[in-house]
Amino acid sequence: MKTICKYFYNIVIELIKNILFYIKKSPYIFSPVFIIGCGRSGTTILGSTLSHHPKLKYLNERRDLWHRSYPEFDIWNKKNKNSKLYADEKDIIFKQNHVLHRLLFREQVLGNAKILLEKLPINNFRLRFLEKSFPNARYIYLTRNGLEVSASIEKSIQKGDWVRNQDLLKSYNIENSDQNKGIWEWKLSIDQSDHFFKSIDRGRLKHLSYKDFIDSPAEIIKDIFNFLELDYTEDWINKISKNIKRKNPEIKTVADKSLYLIGGDILNQTINNKYTPF
């Protein structure tokens, strides 16, 4: 009985949302902005901080919207035997893309927002798909010291929170340790974003490092809002940034030298806070 009630409740909610969307949408322009960064890079604190702006509608890992339009993108569902981690322009299907656009635009309109801001780390592996599907999109690209990211991923793995495509690891013939899983996830993710952002118009991209964000949050937030052409006051910026601080100590070196071999030049650049995609 509860299942039936929930089913009809969801139908009613969808109907109401669609009615409100079509009533309200005419003055709005769909304006998507994607936060891009490897999981555990600080995208959550960045997104939640930016979400305080009243003209932003923030979607924090709303996988449900993506999976309603592209079920094959659900890599977390073990029953989905044909799931896709990577996606590019060849994976765009017009009818499904129309559904995705409508769902995202609906969130912006119902949020009375000028901009739709989305954070979904899996999009690191779907940047070509995003670019073709949302040609007017802008990007906020957050990078972090790869040793810190991989250490955080390693902790997640040890807690059982790690659902990834194991074929990625098999293809590189590496030791299947939690430490190596962590550095390889970071490496594969940043390679994708580094290659992509070297190829797009810089005017559509704002790159920042986690270290700069933590060390000077007010300045970084103002820089981002200027990039998005959103108004703010100094007092308000100071208010929303005052609690941003580093929770764990910086990691500058580790004993396992194989991590540096896997990470390569980009790893050293992020450790020294010198990385840029330009």
Side-chain angles (χ1 to χ4, degrees):
M1 184 65 181
K2 289 184 179 180
T3 302
I4 295 175
C5 289
K6 184 177 180 180
Y7 172 76
F8 283 106
Y9 171 80
N10 289 336
I11 289 178
V12 172
I13 293 298
E14 277 296 299
L15 180 61
I16 293 172
K17 285 184 175 181
N18 284 333
I19 291 172
L20 290 174
F21 172 57
Y22 285 110
I23 290 173
K24 297 176 62 175
K25 73 173 185 175
S26 59
Y28 290 90
I29 298 173
F30 185 34
S31 183
V33 176
F34 297 101
I35 295 177
I36 302 298
C38 181
R40 323 302 297 185
S41 290
T43 55
T44 297
I45 183 62
L46 175 63
S48 62
T49 302
L50 298 178
S51 72
H52 286 94
H53 200 289
K55 291 186 179 180
L56 279 175
K57 173 60 181 179
Y58 176 52
L59 301 183
N60 181 20
E61 301 198 28
R62 287 292 306 276
R63 299 173 187 166
D64 59 305
L65 300 178
W66 283 84
H67 299 165
R68 282 174 63 181
S69 49
Y70 284 91
E72 60 270 31
F73 287 0
D74 186 0
I75 66 170
W76 294 269
N77 186 349
K78 294 181 180 179
K79 295 180 180 179
N80 192 351
K81 302 301 182 182
N82 298 310
S83 62
K84 292 183 178 181
L85 173 62
Y86 290 99
D88 58 24
E89 58 271 17
K90 298 189 298 297
D91 296 293
I92 294 175
I93 299 172
F94 178 80
K95 186 176 180 180
Q96 292 175 231
N97 225 47
H98 179 74
V99 173
L100 178 60
H101 276 241
R102 181 177 59 80
L103 289 173
L104 295 181
F105 188 28
R106 189 178 72 176
E107 292 293 324
Q108 178 186 330
V109 171
L110 297 186
N112 301 311
K114 178 182 177 181
I115 290 173
L116 179 83
L117 179 67
E118 190 202 45
K119 186 269 286 187
L120 188 63
I122 198 69
N123 279 339
N124 280 278
F125 298 97
R126 297 168 181 169
L127 289 166
R128 294 294 175 189
F129 178 96
L130 290 181
E131 179 69 0
K132 190 69 175 182
S133 183
F134 305 95
N136 68 323
R138 287 175 288 178
Y139 303 92
I140 299 171
Y141 179 33
L142 177 65
T143 53
R144 185 180 181 182
N145 176 338
L147 294 178
E148 295 174 1
V149 176
S150 63
S152 183
I153 294 173
E154 183 181 355
K155 290 180 181 178
S156 294
I157 295 169
Q158 292 167 352
K159 293 177 182 178
D161 181 21
W162 199 75
V163 182
R164 301 292 188 269
N165 188 330
Q166 294 296 310
D167 289 338
L168 288 177
L169 298 177
K170 292 176 184 177
S171 65
Y172 288 92
N173 192 30
I174 65 170
E175 179 190 348
N176 202 24
S177 67
D178 292 344
Q179 188 178 50
N180 274 332
K181 287 179 182 178
I183 194 68
W184 269 108
E185 180 176 337
W186 171 82
K187 173 64 173 174
L188 293 169
S189 177
I190 201 168
D191 278 353
Q192 291 287 313
S193 51
D194 177 70
H195 181 72
F196 173 75
F197 287 124
K198 279 180 165 57
S199 69
I200 73 166
D201 178 2
R202 293 190 187 184
R204 296 167 53 214
L205 170 65
K206 175 58 63 177
H207 171 249
L208 63 144
S209 73
Y210 176 80
K211 178 174 173 54
D212 289 344
F213 176 53
I214 294 299
D215 290 349
S216 306
E219 293 305 312
I220 292 296
I221 294 169
K222 285 191 290 185
D223 197 30
I224 292 174
F225 285 148
N226 288 334
F227 168 66
L228 298 177
E229 300 178 319
L230 294 175
D231 296 331
Y232 57 84
T233 65
E234 294 286 339
D235 288 343
W236 180 73
I237 290 290
N238 291 331
K239 180 180 178 181
I240 66 172
S241 63
K242 66 179 181 180
N243 293 322
I244 297 174
K245 59 187 67 176
R246 179 179 287 275
K247 294 182 179 180
N248 299 302
E250 292 185 68
I251 301 176
K252 289 290 189 178
T253 183
V254 292
D256 188 347
K257 301 305 179 184
S258 69
L259 298 188
Y260 298 99
L261 294 176
I262 295 171
D265 289 340
I266 292 182
L267 176 59
N268 290 320
Q269 291 167 20
T270 62
I271 292 171
N272 297 316
N273 200 34
K274 300 290 186 181
Y275 169 75
T276 174
F278 306 127

